[in-house]
Amino acid sequence: MAIFNCLCVSQVGDRDDSNLYISTKLKAAAEVTNIHTLVLQSIMSVNENACVHGLIVQLPLDSANCIDTELVTNAVSSQKDVDGSVSKLSRGDLNDCFIPCTPNGCMELIRQTGVFVAGKHAVVIGRSKIVGAPMHDLLLWNHATVTTCHSKTPDLPEQVGRADILVVGAGRAEMVRGEWVKEGAVVIDCGINHVPDDTRPSGKRVVGDVHYSSASQRAGYITPVPGGVGPMTVAMLMENQNSLIIPKEIMWVAATSRQ
């Protein structure tokens, strides 16, 4: 796979300060190009390795240099994309793609409550490509009426109060207050945040995006953090991975034989 990345700098004259700026910019561009090339070459190598059945690109990409996340995730073979980062989900092709693991886990949690998604008003807080956006699509294709909220939503408490099903993945500690939640709602908290806590040896504790103690007084069902969405996400990843190794008919026989 050839990667071409060209930066052209137009300069008039030969000022020393300009020369310094230009050399710095060209160096930075070369570093970014090298990083992209190394990452993409690594992904392509795994794509072509028949011994590897699944490939995950852990997001966010943590680098001092800017990396094009979409370019990297799009390089993953759709046949090995067990995390569902390259998906046909937005088009509703649910049977022809891997479903992103966290949203898929959320749907399984909702299913286990016995609450039917069809006809419900669902609110998703957050619009990330790995949680919020695919969560919206999954709920929509399962016949819920879906509202997506984000940092620019002006009437967030009012929107939350309408939700029969609330999924929160905004990345802000305990932002959703209990008094916002509709009585009896299903509340799925995808947040993982660290807040100071002098009572813990580490000096901090993990909380979600929902204020659990107050929301649990009103919700019909609510997931804890930690211990709720996280383990289910891992379970969905393993399900995607196993589907690449075990033929579906064998999985079906194994499942029915336990009943």
Side-chain angles (χ1 to χ4, degrees):
M1 179 178 181
I3 306 297
F4 299 98
N5 193 330
C6 177
L7 173 66
C8 178
V9 179
S10 178
Q11 180 185 15
V12 177
D14 190 33
R15 291 175 57 95
D16 290 338
D17 54 351
S18 294
N19 291 338
L20 177 60
Y21 292 144
I22 290 171
S23 66
T24 302
K25 292 172 184 175
L26 292 175
K27 180 181 178 182
E31 289 175 352
V32 171
T33 301
N34 289 337
I35 290 171
H36 275 101
T37 301
L38 289 172
V39 172
L40 292 171
Q41 285 178 345
S42 176
I43 290 173
M44 297 306 294
S45 175
V46 174
N47 284 345
E48 296 166 4
N49 187 342
C51 295
V52 178
H53 298 88
L55 171 59
I56 300 169
V57 175
Q58 183 63 44
L59 300 177
L61 301 175
D62 185 16
S63 173
N65 297 286
C66 179
I67 299 180
D68 188 333
T69 298
E70 189 168 351
L71 177 67
V72 171
T73 55
N74 284 346
V76 177
S77 167
S78 61
Q79 303 303 312
K80 298 187 178 186
D81 180 30
V82 292
D83 209 22
S85 57
V86 181
S87 163
K88 300 177 182 178
L89 176 59
S90 61
R91 298 200 301 267
D93 298 336
L94 303 186
N95 296 319
D96 193 30
C97 68
F98 287 111
I99 307 295
C101 297
T102 296
N104 201 20
C106 292
M107 293 301 295
E108 175 62 20
L109 288 167
I110 296 169
R111 188 193 67 78
Q112 291 181 10
T113 68
V115 173
F116 291 101
V117 173
K120 296 297 191 297
H121 187 172
V123 172
V124 178
I125 302 180
R127 52 184 171 178
S128 73
K129 293 181 179 180
I130 57 177
V131 179
M135 190 73 237
H136 171 280
D137 292 338
L138 270 179
L139 288 164
L140 182 66
W141 296 123
N142 280 275
H143 312 298
T145 299
V146 189
T147 300
T148 297
C149 300
H150 44 77
S151 59
K152 305 301 183 188
T153 302
D155 55 345
L156 190 57
E158 182 179 347
Q159 295 293 342
V160 170
R162 298 175 180 151
D164 302 306
I165 299 170
L166 174 66
V167 182
V168 189
R172 291 178 55 190
E174 300 181 324
M175 65 171 292
V176 174
R177 313 305 296 179
E179 59 268 23
W180 301 0
V181 175
K182 183 178 181 179
E183 195 76 36
V186 175
V187 179
I188 308 291
D189 190 349
C190 303
I192 300 177
N193 309 280
H194 291 87
V195 296
D197 187 341
D198 295 336
T199 67
R200 304 292 178 89
S202 63
K204 57 187 178 182
R205 60 188 171 89
V206 176
V207 300
D209 290 352
V210 178
H211 189 266
Y212 183 87
S213 60
S214 60
S216 62
Q217 301 301 309
R218 296 178 59 83
Y221 299 89
I222 185 170
T223 59
V225 176
V229 172
M232 187 59 75
T233 295
V234 176
M236 293 299 103
L237 173 61
M238 293 300 99
E239 182 175 284
N240 283 350
Q241 176 72 9
N242 288 337
S243 72
L244 292 169
I245 304 171
I246 307 174
K248 292 186 183 300
E249 58 269 23
I250 296 178
M251 292 180 66
W252 183 84
V253 171
T256 55
S257 66
R258 291 197 297 268
Q259 296 178 6

